Amino acid sequence: MRFQKALFMSNFGIDMGLPEFRVGSYATYLLPFSKVFEKATGGECKFLLGSHTLDLLNRKSKITEINAKNSFVVKGKEHASLFGLGDDFLLESYHDSFGDKEEQYVKYFKKLFGDWQPDVIFCWEFPTTLFRKIFPKALVLDIMPGAYMRPPYPKTISVDPVGLYASSFLKNYDESQDFKALDDTNEFLKIRDLYSHYFNHDTDVKDVILDLVDPTRKFEKYWLVPMQISGYFGFYENCKYKDQFEFLTDVLAKAPKNVGVIATQYIGNLVSEKTLNNRNLGYIRNLYPNFLYSTEFEKLDNISQYITPWADSVITVSSTLGFQALLHEKKLISPSTSHLSYIASDYGDNARKQDEALIASLFCRQNILVEKLLHDVDYFKSILVGLDERKSDSAIDVLSALPRPANLYKDYLSYSPFSGADNQIKKMGGIISSKKNSLRSLLDRIEKYDVISFDIFDTLLRRTVFKPEDVFVLIQKKLEAEYKNLLPAVIVKRFPELRVGFERQLRKEYDQNHNTTDVYTEKNEEFYTLEVYQRMLAAFGLNESIAEQLLEIEQEVEFSVLEARSLGKALYDVAIA
């Protein structure tokens, strides 16, 4: 394997005046990923970081596996004198606009690295343009938080071999690319159904939130505006807005009167931004009657995740909530130049027709489960090899190069922390389903037994008709259109009621003869249905030999109206896994 030297890096400067901002990137992601790399390749790992980050890792976090011996350290004084303060170098890197400084930067890093050259670079949320130039033979992977990071979703990351935000491989997407060939849609729909069932069946969180902000339900539609951090380049360098207040009021000004605009604020352990407060809430509410917000939202750091599944639209510059909107089939609006802008709609009434096959592949391939990556060495290795051998930087070639795990749906079932989400909802006063058929309860019970039995209809399968007897109406239409001479017209005209009536008669006879209501004790359903037709034909003096043909027609119509129930299918897949 060509990958024998890996560099793990992030911003070696100071983000937003917070020296500790990048510590979590190394401790939570880059260090664990380096250990998987060593197992997968037997190769060598080194780190690039600022001296302030290394000091905090060693001294405060007691993490010594990243140290001066296995790291290239950019010292504080060197950074200030060469790279400038704040986001100067970061923005030059993001826009690939180093000017006359490029030569100095290249010289500095070549001296810092010496003869050591990486085969692959893993970079957490920092532009890699300069390092792609310094190490042109290296596979460079830009890593960011994935579509979801908090309960009830498992932690995910996104991997992009082309660039970050506006430089993402999504810039090379066009509608002529055929993502259906990747065959990810069925797996994606199962994952979508899993979370749809949770949000729409297992909890009443929608009513809890609307009772807080719109108790009379006066709005026909709802937009979600998940605000971000104004001082982070992922926001301000990808839009025209100077801060969250300006962004929010612009959305409010564009919202129709029948749309309630629900705003949420960024609440994190390390950094938060409370744009909305007691000094401006009254002003905004007076100016925009459709502005919806509650301070109760601040009890949760992931409140937006409970609104996205039922909001009509999500408006964001670069938040991962944009991808969650697509997961739940909601309209995504991104007034930005970020990666989301390539797949977003505008404010108009007509949502951009999403390429569902593209969305499916983004979730099944580029949105990578962290736990899967850390515990499956072969999967980790296949990502490196696939991206290294990709044909081009087009969206279709990048996604084709990324492998889809064989049992992705099962992985989501295993890694999704539903109980953590339950606890969050309870903080809001929400109710979690205590029914025995709640998804988590059933999954827990399945694990305890060796044999699992399922009812077929209304458990695993459902008919897409108003009532089961409507199938006989469809058979009647089929007889009229395709089998005009099979039965007399007078019988075809009354077929639905005759079919029901003769089955009822036969059931009654079996009940009397067997002293039981279980008519399938001695006969299977196919034989029983055949007998219904034989009895009906005999009653009218018709040839009983066509009973089998009628049975085949009924089975054909039955199959055409059957579909799997999402919950039943989810449980069945777990049971047979």
Side-chain angles (χ1 to χ4, degrees):
M1 191 176 191
R2 90 169 183 92
F3 300 111
Q4 292 300 308
K5 294 182 178 180
L7 178 67
F8 294 83
M9 62 173 287
S10 188
N11 187 7
F12 43 82
I14 297 177
D15 296 87
M16 300 179 290
L18 299 169
E20 67 272 34
F21 188 77
R22 297 284 172 163
V23 171
S25 304
Y26 286 90
T28 307
Y29 299 103
L30 295 176
L31 178 60
F33 293 165
S34 72
K35 294 179 179 179
V36 183
F37 177 84
E38 290 174 343
K39 290 180 182 178
T41 67
E44 177 187 18
C45 296
K46 286 187 176 291
F47 300 87
L48 171 65
L49 69 172
S51 56
H52 58 284
T53 302
L54 180 61
D55 175 64
L56 289 169
L57 280 167
N58 294 168
R59 182 172 51 83
K60 188 175 180 180
S61 300
K62 308 300 181 184
I63 295 173
T64 57
E65 292 168 284
I66 301 176
N67 52 62
K69 291 182 179 180
N70 65 1
S71 299
F72 301 104
V73 182
V74 179
K75 297 179 181 179
K77 289 184 179 180
E78 295 174 341
H79 187 278
S81 60
L82 178 60
F83 300 105
L85 297 173
D87 288 349
D88 292 350
F89 177 72
L90 185 153
L91 296 181
E92 290 172 353
S93 298
Y94 186 50
H95 296 292
D96 192 11
S97 58
F98 302 104
D100 297 337
K101 297 179 182 178
E102 183 170 330
E103 186 177 345
Q104 298 177 53
Y105 296 154
V106 171
K107 184 178 179 180
Y108 172 83
F109 283 113
K110 284 190 173 181
K111 181 179 179 180
L112 183 66
F113 286 103
D115 295 331
W116 194 88
Q117 292 194 20
D119 305 310
V120 57
I121 299 174
F122 297 84
C123 185
W124 184 271
E125 211 166 354
F126 179 77
T128 52
T129 48
L130 183 69
F131 297 93
R132 291 174 185 271
K133 295 178 180 181
I134 297 175
F135 303 112
K137 294 182 179 180
L139 171 65
V140 182
L141 303 179
D142 284 291
I143 306 173
M144 291 177 61
Y148 17 77
M149 298 291 284
R150 299 171 180 173
Y153 305 106
K155 285 187 176 181
T156 60
I157 60 168
S158 73
V159 175
D160 194 319
V162 180
L164 198 65
Y165 292 117
S167 301
S168 165
F169 74 91
L170 285 173
K171 69 182 179 181
N172 301 321
Y173 161 68
D174 68 69
E175 296 179 357
S176 67
Q177 297 169 0
D178 182 16
F179 295 92
K180 291 181 181 178
L182 299 183
D183 195 27
D184 295 322
T185 301
N186 288 339
E187 195 76 0
F188 169 66
L189 292 178
K190 290 193 293 184
I191 296 169
R192 172 184 283 172
D193 284 348
L194 172 67
Y195 296 115
S196 175
H197 188 275
Y198 175 78
F199 286 111
N200 297 313
H201 177 82
D202 285 358
T203 173
D204 66 341
V205 69
K206 175 182 178 180
D207 288 333
V208 171
I209 291 172
L210 287 181
D211 285 346
L212 289 171
V213 298
D214 185 23
T216 62
R217 307 298 195 267
K218 62 182 178 180
F219 295 105
E220 297 175 14
K221 294 182 178 181
Y222 297 95
W223 288 359
L224 170 64
V225 183
M227 291 187 284
Q228 299 176 256
I229 300 297
S230 299
Y232 190 59
F233 85 103
F235 174 81
Y236 74 77
E237 203 61 22
N238 287 291
C239 66
K240 64 181 181 180
Y241 309 106
K242 65 180 181 181
D243 56 32
Q244 303 306 304
F245 187 85
E246 189 175 286
F247 169 51
L248 174 61
T249 52
D250 184 55
V251 175
L252 286 166
K254 288 181 169 65
K257 293 181 180 180
N258 66 333
V259 173
V261 178
I262 303 174
T264 60
Q265 309 207 74
Y266 190 96
I267 308 294
N269 293 327
L270 180 61
V271 59
S272 300
E273 182 170 341
K274 295 188 177 182
T275 298
L276 303 173
N277 52 59
N278 292 333
R279 290 173 295 179
N280 61 23
L281 278 173
Y283 166 79
I284 299 175
R285 286 184 172 126
N286 287 332
L287 196 59
Y288 303 103
N290 56 348
F291 167 68
L292 303 176
Y293 178 75
S294 171
T295 54
E296 290 293 303
F297 290 173
E298 297 170 22
K299 291 181 178 180
L300 273 66
D301 63 359
N302 62 342
I303 184 66
S304 300
Q305 293 189 158
Y306 301 104
I307 302 173
T308 301
W310 50 267
D312 296 281
S313 299
V314 175
I315 298 94
T316 180
V317 169
S318 57
S319 168
T320 58
L321 271 300
F323 283 111
Q324 289 185 33
L326 299 178
L327 171 69
H328 292 287
E329 298 182 276
K330 304 303 177 184
K331 182 177 180 179
L332 167 63
I333 300 171
S334 185
S336 74
T337 56
S338 79
H339 56 307
L340 295 180
S341 67
Y342 302 123
I343 52 176
S345 301
D346 56 29
Y347 281 99
D349 291 334
N350 296 322
R352 174 178 184 167
K353 186 177 181 181
Q354 290 294 346
D355 185 338
E356 188 167 80
L358 165 66
I359 304 304
S361 293
L362 286 171
F363 277 89
C364 291
R365 295 172 184 266
Q366 197 217 3
N367 196 54
I368 296 172
L369 290 165
V370 172
E371 288 299 312
K372 178 72 173 177
L373 194 68
L374 294 178
H375 295 100
D376 191 331
V377 171
D378 290 335
Y379 175 52
F380 185 94
K381 193 184 301 183
S382 68
I383 292 173
L384 296 183
V385 173
L387 290 177
D388 192 45
E389 297 177 353
R390 70 187 186 278
K391 296 177 182 178
S392 74
D393 289 341
S394 70
I396 185 66
D397 284 341
V398 169
L399 290 172
S400 297
L402 284 163
R404 186 188 78 202
N407 298 303
L408 185 60
Y409 176 67
K410 182 182 177 183
D411 291 336
Y412 270 90
L413 286 172
S414 301
Y415 296 135
S416 295
F418 289 111
S419 59
D422 293 349
N423 293 332
Q424 292 281 64
I425 293 172
K426 289 174 183 176
K427 290 181 182 179
M428 290 285 299
I431 298 173
I432 307 302
S433 174
S434 60
K435 298 177 183 178
K436 290 184 178 180
N437 68 334
S438 72
L439 180 60
R440 295 171 318 290
S441 173
L442 290 169
L443 289 173
D444 291 340
R445 289 156 66 191
I446 281 177
E447 295 296 327
K448 298 177 182 178
Y449 297 94
D450 296 323
V451 178
I452 310 296
S453 65
F454 292 88
D455 284 340
I456 302 298
F457 289 104
D458 297 324
T459 299
L460 290 180
L461 300 175
R462 63 184 168 201
R463 295 179 176 94
T464 56
V465 290
F466 185 69
K467 56 184 184 296
E469 292 81 5
D470 288 344
V471 169
F472 304 142
V473 176
L474 297 177
I475 296 173
Q476 178 191 42
K477 292 180 179 180
K478 196 173 187 68
L479 289 170
E480 290 173 341
E482 301 176 29
Y483 301 90
K484 294 181 179 179
N485 300 320
L486 187 62
L487 292 174
V490 65
I491 293 179
V492 173
K493 186 176 181 179
R494 296 182 56 206
F495 180 85
E497 58 189 277
L498 290 172
R499 175 63 178 77
V500 171
F502 276 95
E503 179 173 350
R504 186 183 299 117
Q505 179 186 344
L506 199 58
R507 283 181 182 275
K508 186 176 182 181
E509 291 179 11
Y510 271 114
D511 291 346
Q512 293 172 347
N513 295 336
H514 295 82
N515 193 28
T516 176
T517 58
D518 183 4
V519 301
Y520 305 115
T521 302
E522 298 178 5
K523 295 179 181 286
N524 62 45
E525 183 177 3
E526 182 175 341
F527 185 88
Y528 174 75
T529 304
L530 180 64
E531 194 168 342
V532 170
Y533 280 119
Q534 289 171 339
R535 182 71 64 88
M536 185 173 72
L537 292 168
F540 292 100
L542 299 173
N543 190 341
E544 295 181 31
S545 64
I546 64 173
E548 290 191 5
Q549 188 173 359
L550 289 169
L551 174 62
E552 290 175 1
I553 294 171
E554 179 168 330
Q555 289 176 334
E556 182 182 346
V557 173
E558 277 278 16
F559 284 135
S560 72
V561 300
L562 290 178
E563 67 177 18
R565 295 191 68 237
S566 57
L567 175 60
K569 182 67 165 58
L571 299 172
Y572 179 79
D573 287 339
V574 172
I576 65 174

